[in-house]
Amino acid sequence: MTSGFSVSGYGPDRVGLSKLLARDSVVRRLDWPLLVSALALSLIGTVLVYSATRNRTELNQGDPYFFLTRHAMNTGIGVALMIGMLWIGHRALRTALPVLYGLSVFLMLLVLTPMGATINGARSWLVIAGFSLQPSEFVKITVILGMAMLLAARVDAGDRTYPDHRTVAQALALAVVPIVIIMLMPDLGTVMVLAVIILGVLLGSGASNRWVLGLLGAGAGGAVAVWQLGVLDEYQINRFAAFANPALDPAGVGYNTNQARIAIGSGGLTGTGLFQGSQTTGQFVPEQQTDFVFTVAGEELGFLGAGLIILLFGVVLWRACRIARATTELYSTIVAAGIIAWFAFQTFQNIGMALGIMPVSGLPLPFVSYGGTAMFAVWMAIGLLQSIKIQRPLSA
């Protein structure tokens, strides 16, 4: 073995610097545009979070650098988790997947007990020893890996050329369990992300289009049923009502969206200047360090700065698509497809709700928004993509 990490994904080797920089080393085989773009997004997010919170004494406990420090620390932990995922390898995770899946479901069930905490209307958090944890973020990863393992098992073994109907049904059953639990919280935003992930996984697996069309129909029917049966909380219904009619209650349910659009619109081409945004400094946009962090970029960095963020997300998705296309193993392709669907939809949804073209759903902007669990999950996903990249044949 000639790499700093085992290319087979089972652990490190002790090698010299010359071997580390060899053609087949991990360092040389990493997808650097992907890594640099993700790092740039997290660093930009650190600055935006600081701008949004430095004057918020009711949030930062009197320390203007409180959120900046924690966001940088979350990014560092996320990068460490990425390295850990790369060290283990996406293939080796197959053996531990039943345990990981069971643990993630167990943690979500704990959210429904007195240990759970309600934040921003959704009971989707665990508070342990003063630290908050959102188990549903990790479920995105376990659902992707679990469905990929089931859908690709017989194909990668050479028994079939595509997943059969029974296998697809088993994979869907695996995904339905956490979705049902999340609906009980309820956390509609995460359910939407998981639904898109499932579609991405099925498309990446080569499953019959009848399954995809059937799921789209079932999703539409389910949305109507959820609305009619009163499963949604009142605040969630109000969010959709405000999206359908932006003029509805501008001082109440429509306040967030209206203020977000004012902030972004006031930035113009080049922005008002970092830390100079009147909407941000005046604290007019609620949850600006999390759900509406894009408004800080739009106001203070303008169209050019906001466009740079979108461009960086484009690079992340482009490199992820290249990784998915280059691998010859269906399991790897499905994992990459699920991550692409996750990143693409959540980015579009978050930026869309800041612009007023999507309903408010409480989804953070990947890599940019403040939040520990969400940051850890997206960097673990980057680790999976990098593992797929380095573990494929050099000729791929």
Side-chain angles (χ1 to χ4, degrees):
M1 194 67 62
T2 58
S3 65
F5 291 88
S6 169
V7 175
S8 62
Y10 293 100
D13 295 327
R14 295 182 179 179
V15 296
L17 180 60
S18 60
K19 291 185 178 181
L20 184 67
L21 298 177
R23 178 174 176 265
D24 60 343
S25 72
V26 168
V27 173
R28 297 289 288 272
R29 298 183 70 179
L30 284 175
D31 192 306
W32 283 100
L34 172 65
L35 180 58
V36 171
S37 297
L39 277 172
L41 285 168
S42 290
L43 293 176
I44 291 172
T46 302
V47 177
L48 298 181
V49 166
Y50 170 66
S51 179
T53 58
R54 62 195 178 91
N55 294 323
R56 300 292 296 267
T57 56
E58 77 281 8
L59 296 176
N60 62 26
Q61 303 178 18
D63 179 8
Y65 299 102
F66 177 81
F67 283 93
L68 182 150
T69 303
R70 291 175 70 100
H71 190 82
M73 181 179 66
N74 289 337
T75 299
I77 295 174
V79 172
L81 289 172
M82 178 201 71
I83 295 172
M85 296 295 280
L86 184 59
W87 186 78
I88 296 170
H90 67 290
R91 295 189 185 120
L93 284 172
R94 289 187 183 190
T95 57
L97 192 56
V99 175
L100 296 176
Y101 177 81
L103 179 61
S104 63
V105 171
F106 174 72
L107 289 175
M108 285 197 303
L109 289 173
L110 285 182
V111 172
L112 302 177
T113 71
M115 294 181 64
T118 300
I119 299 177
N120 295 330
R123 188 180 181 84
S124 56
W125 299 81
L126 286 175
V127 179
I128 303 174
F131 294 95
S132 58
L133 178 72
Q134 192 174 12
S136 58
E137 289 292 337
F138 297 127
V139 165
K140 298 171 186 175
I141 295 176
T142 55
V143 165
I144 290 172
L145 292 174
M147 293 187 70
M149 181 181 70
L150 290 173
L151 292 169
R154 296 182 64 184
V155 177
D156 285 337
D159 296 337
R160 294 186 61 88
T161 56
Y162 57 87
D164 58 22
H165 294 307
R166 180 180 179 181
T167 302
V168 175
Q170 291 173 340
L172 290 175
L174 178 144
V176 164
V177 173
I179 287 178
V180 171
I181 298 173
I182 294 170
M183 283 299 299
L184 295 175
M185 296 179 181
D187 184 354
L188 185 60
T190 301
V191 170
M192 293 166 59
V193 174
L194 286 174
V196 173
I197 285 174
I198 292 170
L199 286 175
V201 164
L202 290 182
L203 289 171
S205 71
S208 171
N209 289 334
R210 284 180 291 177
W211 281 103
V212 176
L213 295 175
L215 283 175
L216 290 173
V224 173
V226 165
W227 186 277
Q228 294 294 329
L229 295 175
V231 175
L232 299 179
D233 285 345
E234 183 178 358
Y235 81 94
Q236 293 173 317
I237 296 175
N238 290 338
R239 284 177 174 178
F240 281 102
F243 168 68
N245 181 12
L248 178 67
D249 193 13
V253 67
Y255 179 81
N256 289 23
T257 302
N258 288 331
Q259 293 300 321
R261 286 189 291 187
I262 291 172
I264 293 174
S266 65
L269 179 64
T270 59
T272 59
L274 197 58
F275 314 132
Q276 302 300 316
S278 59
Q279 290 291 113
T280 300
T281 303
Q283 305 173 18
F284 290 105
V285 183
E287 305 299 333
Q288 202 170 15
Q289 75 277 15
T290 53
D291 299 350
F292 289 96
V293 71
F294 189 74
T295 63
V296 184
E299 180 181 26
E300 299 188 345
L301 304 179
F303 176 80
L304 295 178
L308 174 62
I309 292 175
I310 296 174
L311 176 63
L312 289 170
F313 275 115
V315 174
V316 169
L317 294 174
W318 165 53
R319 300 307 299 181
C321 287
R322 284 182 61 90
I323 290 171
R325 287 175 60 88
T327 182
T328 57
E329 181 185 54
L330 182 60
Y331 171 72
S332 300
T333 299
I334 296 174
V335 171
I339 294 172
I340 292 167
W342 165 16
F343 284 5
F345 176 77
Q346 191 161 322
T347 299
F348 176 78
Q349 169 63 31
N350 179 277
I351 295 176
M353 71 181 186
L355 296 173
I357 61 174
M358 293 293 286
V360 176
S361 60
L363 290 174
L365 186 58
F367 304 103
V368 182
S369 292
Y370 175 78
T373 313
M375 182 70 78
F376 304 157
V378 294
W379 274 106
M380 290 169 69
I382 294 294
L384 288 173
L385 290 173
Q386 295 286 10
S387 173
I388 295 170
K389 171 70 164 55
I390 69 167
Q391 291 187 23
R392 73 169 188 254
L394 284 173
S395 59

